[in-house]
């Protein structure tokens, strides 16, 4: 089953339930296999606690809202749309450049219907 994992995404919020020895061991194993690992908001803390951010640029060590380095994506909470788009790009989920641009334009010009 581990061979089928393409990515591991850590959410933000209360990380107490996921900041465990087992999750850290899993993250370290995935990092060795160069699997895409992504964390947003407090999920970045779990990556840091697991040692994933050693020698990896991240939002913990910069003022950027989104940082991609090697196979790791980190984002601040306010960059949730950019985070989602970046993860989708890395997983090759867009059918084409036009599909990517359509998604970006939707969110860039999105206005909620009242």
């Amino acid at each position: 089953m581990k061979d089928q994992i393409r990515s591991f995404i850590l959410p933000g919020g209360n990380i107490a339930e996921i900041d465990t020895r087992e999750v850290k061991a899993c993250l370290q194993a995935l990092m060795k296999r160069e699997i895409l690992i992504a964390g947003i908001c407090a999920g970045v803390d779990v990556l840091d606690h697991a040692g994933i951010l050693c020698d990896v640029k991240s939002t913990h060590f910069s003022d950027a809202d989104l940082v991609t380095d090697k196979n790791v994506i980190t984002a601040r909470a306010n960059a949730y749309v950019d985070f989602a788009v970046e993860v989708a790009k890395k997983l090759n989920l867009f059918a084409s450049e036009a599909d990517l641009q359509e998604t970006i334009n939707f969110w860039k010009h999105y206005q909620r219907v009242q």
Side-chain angles (χ1 to χ4, degrees):
M1 179 136 158
K2 284 186 178 180
D3 292 338
Q4 297 174 348
I5 297 173
R6 291 182 59 202
S7 65
F8 194 103
I9 300 173
L10 290 147
N14 182 352
I15 61 169
E17 297 287 324
I18 60 173
D19 198 13
T20 66
R21 199 175 0 213
E22 294 82 12
V23 170
K24 292 171 191 171
C26 180
L27 287 166
Q28 291 164 358
L30 294 172
M31 185 71 170
K32 287 178 186 170
R33 291 182 38 221
E34 298 182 358
I35 300 299
L36 178 66
I37 299 171
I40 188 166
C41 192
V44 178
D45 292 333
V46 177
L47 296 178
D48 193 29
H49 299 165
I52 301 302
L53 301 182
C54 294
D55 301 320
V56 172
K57 295 174 188 162
S58 74
T59 54
H60 262 204
F61 308 111
S62 78
D63 289 333
D65 288 337
L66 176 78
V67 177
T68 301
D69 188 33
K70 300 176 185 170
N71 62 314
V72 178
I73 301 170
T74 58
R76 299 188 191 289
N78 63 309
Y80 59 92
V81 173
D82 294 328
F83 178 74
V85 169
E86 186 69 11
V87 169
K89 282 173 30 181
K90 291 292 185 187
L91 292 172
N92 297 314
L93 297 180
F94 293 106
S96 63
E97 182 65 26
D99 185 26
L100 168 62
Q101 289 307 313
E102 179 182 351
T103 300
I104 291 170
N105 287 335
F106 173 81
W107 288 105
K108 186 176 182 180
H109 303 294
Y110 176 77
Q111 293 191 4
R112 190 175 197 169
V113 177
Q114 298 294 331

